[in-house]
């Protein structure tokens, strides 16, 4: 009986972690959300300088898919204000490459992201500043 306790505890921990990961990456909730609806609640901080410019650029080039304030759009594209896109997992260079070259589907089931033409590297730097400001305001570091 004593030997089963660590096994049962380990199994329970694994199941809890799997359930938590499922919630973290969307789980079943993304399928229950109306198509195009925001996927995340996003607190928007006061923006100035490069981040404010990035907001305007994001609104013009990215929001049609990734939603207002990078909250995602159910059935269309994921929220960028999400722990998956934290700097330690998706560094700024990943955003640069995604915009320049597009991205194959890998975390979400939205399909591949096409490249976004006519967005300069300076524009991308401003968009990244905006997204990172949103992430910080929402506890994603």
């Amino acid at each position: 009986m004593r030997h089963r306790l660590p096994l049962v505890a380990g199994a329970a921990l694994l199941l809890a972690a799997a359930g938590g990961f499922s919630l973290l990456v969307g789980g079943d909730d993304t399928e229950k959300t109306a198509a195009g609806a925001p996927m995340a609640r996003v607190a928007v901080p006061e923006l100035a300088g490069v981040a404010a410019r990035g907001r305007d650029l994001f609104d013009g080039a990215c929001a049609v898919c990734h939603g207002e304030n990078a909250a995602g759009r159910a059935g269309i594209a994921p929220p960028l204000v999400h722990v998956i896109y934290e700097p330690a997992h998706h560094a700024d260079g990943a955003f640069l490459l995604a915009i320049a070259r597009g991205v194959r589907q890998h975390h979400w089931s939205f399909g591949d992201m096409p490249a976004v033409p006519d967005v300069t590297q300076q524009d991308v730097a401003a968009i990244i500043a905006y997204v990172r400001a949103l992430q910080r305001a929402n506890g994603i570091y």
Side-chain angles (χ1 to χ4, degrees):
M1 186 71 169
R2 279 190 173 176
H3 297 288
R4 289 187 182 175
L5 184 57
L7 181 61
V8 171
L13 183 60
L14 184 60
L15 286 172
F21 182 76
S22 175
L23 290 174
L24 179 71
V25 296
D28 293 333
D29 291 342
T30 57
E31 291 155 13
K32 295 176 187 172
T33 305
M39 297 175 61
R41 290 187 186 129
V42 179
V44 180
E46 286 290 324
L47 299 168
V50 176
R53 181 172 173 268
R55 176 194 52 219
D56 295 340
L57 292 164
F58 183 93
D59 288 349
C62 311
V64 67
C65 294
H66 288 286
E68 183 178 348
N69 300 315
R73 295 189 62 213
I76 299 169
L80 299 177
V81 180
H82 192 284
V83 70
I84 284 179
Y85 298 104
E86 70 181 344
H89 191 252
H90 282 86
D92 294 354
F95 286 94
L96 179 66
L97 289 173
I99 292 170
R101 298 182 184 171
V103 180
R104 284 195 164 161
Q105 173 183 309
H106 59 287
H107 287 298
W108 306 85
S109 60
F110 295 104
D112 298 342
M113 176 185 152
V116 183
D118 303 324
V119 178
T120 69
Q121 286 189 354
Q122 284 183 322
D123 292 345
V124 174
I127 290 168
I128 291 169
Y130 168 61
V131 170
R132 297 300 189 207
L134 290 173
Q135 290 174 337
R136 284 188 303 275
N138 289 274
I140 300 168
Y141 298 94

